Amino acid sequence: MMSFAQWGNALYSGDKSYRVVPNRRVFVGLAAAVIVLGFALVGIMGLNRSIEFTGGSQFDVAHVSDQSESFAARAVSDTGLVEGAPKVTRVGSDSVRIQTTSLDSGQTATMREALAGAYGVDVSQVQSSSIGPSWGSSVTTKAAQSLLIFMALVALLMTVYFRSWRMAASALLALLHDIAVTVGVFAILQVEVSPATVIGFLTILGYSLYDTVVVFDKVRELTGDVYEQKHYTFAEYVNLAVNQTMVRSINTSVVALLPVGAILVIGSLALGPGTLVDISLALFIGMIAGTYSSIFIASPLLVSFQEMSSKTREHDAAVERERADRAAGESASDGESVKVAPIKPGKRLGNDRQPQRKKSHR
């Protein structure tokens, strides 16, 4: 069994290769299904939006001996000031956060006294704040605008940097997959979506984009003169690029997921589900989805878009004819195999064979 380093070297040299691009229809079809399912879950189950998005009143009860949610629910119900059940969240090890619909100053004072009595603390331990519905609507609008601006800038950057709209379109669709996966998980788990979550969304999109750019850089390096030779197709070079960057993507993701996973565990178990979970869960799910999409979605999509070009199709046909001619000739009897691999570097020749700096005569 080869070691991880040997496995990486085999992928880079082409001695070992996973058929990511040849199976692109499977990966692209699966991605399309995930995108539809993710947004369908949001439409059916909805997102658990925080008070910053919905508006309302918030009460933080500190130094409680029992964080039971039933105390808050009973106290709010007994006041008769709001309709429906309040949103109750445990914060840390001795605090509780209660969110209700908007209350005026008099109703807020009554609610503070009711919550203080329910948890057996002084009224001074109950802090209140209020966010109007107009402000919450503004936050929602700004969050949507930030996402749209980010996607537009990504499209412009990718098109200018790679001089290819196909790479930009592939990267955007891969980012759409990452968004669908993340919001789908939030819809299923009903974890609160806060402004910090939006920051996490934008962060993971930047992370996924960076991973995709690394893969596309390798694609551009390998396919710079693809049409000047008739040995390998564009798809085969892209598949090599994916395999060559696979180990790097895995290593980067593991290193990034370790601290994020620690924050997620500490936030949900040690500090309570109301602390750090919104942003850490977005980062954790998004990083995994971003790594997957850069390998199994962005690159296969790029090949699908590239094969729409008549130039690429003609080149692929020329490669197939060249291979048929070689198979019918003497080279086939020599056991020649088609393998896309870079030239292997030679050994170091030693210091005495290296270029020497000329001595200056003054």
Side-chain angles (χ1 to χ4, degrees), residues 2 16 51 87 91 116 173 197 212 233 271 323:
M2 65 175 61
K16 185 176 183 63
I51 192 173
K87 183 186 298 183
V91 180
L173 290 174
T197 310
T212 302
T233 64
L271 301 179
R323 289 178 179 174

Side-chain angles (χ1 to χ4, degrees), residues 109-127:
T110 302
M111 188 66 71
R112 288 182 61 193
E113 293 177 357
L115 292 173
Y119 284 99
V121 298
D122 190 79
V123 178
S124 61
Q125 300 299 324
V126 183
Q127 302 297 322

Side-chain angles (χ1 to χ4, degrees), residues 119-309:
Y119 284 99
V121 298
D122 190 79
V123 178
S124 61
Q125 300 299 324
V126 183
Q127 302 297 322
S128 62
S129 60
S130 180
I131 296 178
S134 61
W135 194 86
S137 176
S138 176
V139 172
T140 303
T141 302
K142 294 298 183 182
Q145 288 177 350
S146 64
L147 183 60
L148 292 176
I149 292 173
F150 178 87
M151 300 292 279
L153 291 177
V154 166
L156 178 62
L157 172 65
M158 297 288 287
T159 303
V160 172
Y161 181 73
F162 289 107
R163 297 181 179 85
S164 171
W165 66 267
R166 294 179 176 88
M167 287 188 173
S170 302
L172 285 177
L173 290 174
L175 292 180
L176 186 63
H177 165 270
D178 301 338
I179 295 174
V181 170
T182 307
V183 298
V185 172
F186 270 79
I188 294 174
L189 300 180
Q190 285 296 296
V191 177
E192 188 176 70
V193 177
S194 67
T197 310
V198 177
I199 296 174
F201 283 161
L202 297 178
T203 302
I204 62 175
L205 294 182
Y207 177 89
S208 176
L209 178 63
Y210 167 74
D211 214 20
T212 302
V213 167
V214 171
V215 178
F216 282 179
D217 261 331
K218 178 58 69 173
V219 170
R220 182 171 61 175
E221 175 187 335
L222 295 178
T223 60
D225 57 351
V226 63
Y227 298 117
E228 298 176 6
Q229 51 80 45
K230 295 182 180 179
H231 295 286
Y232 309 115
T233 64
F234 182 86
E236 289 170 335
Y237 274 120
V238 173
N239 194 69
L240 175 62
V242 170
N243 281 271
Q244 287 184 336
T245 55
M246 187 177 296
V247 172
R248 177 218 159 270
S249 297
I250 294 174
N251 287 339
T252 304
S253 300
V254 170
V255 171
L257 285 172
L258 287 176
V260 174
I263 294 173
L264 179 60
V265 172
I266 293 173
S268 59
L269 298 181
L271 301 179
T275 307
L276 301 177
V277 174
D278 47 2
I279 187 171
S280 59
L281 181 62
L283 291 173
F284 191 82
I285 300 300
M287 284 182 178
I288 296 176
T291 302
Y292 173 85
S293 65
S294 64
I295 297 175
F296 296 98
I297 299 177
S299 299
L301 277 173
L302 173 61
V303 173
S304 297
F305 288 143
Q306 191 69 35
E307 289 182 346
M308 296 178 182
S309 169

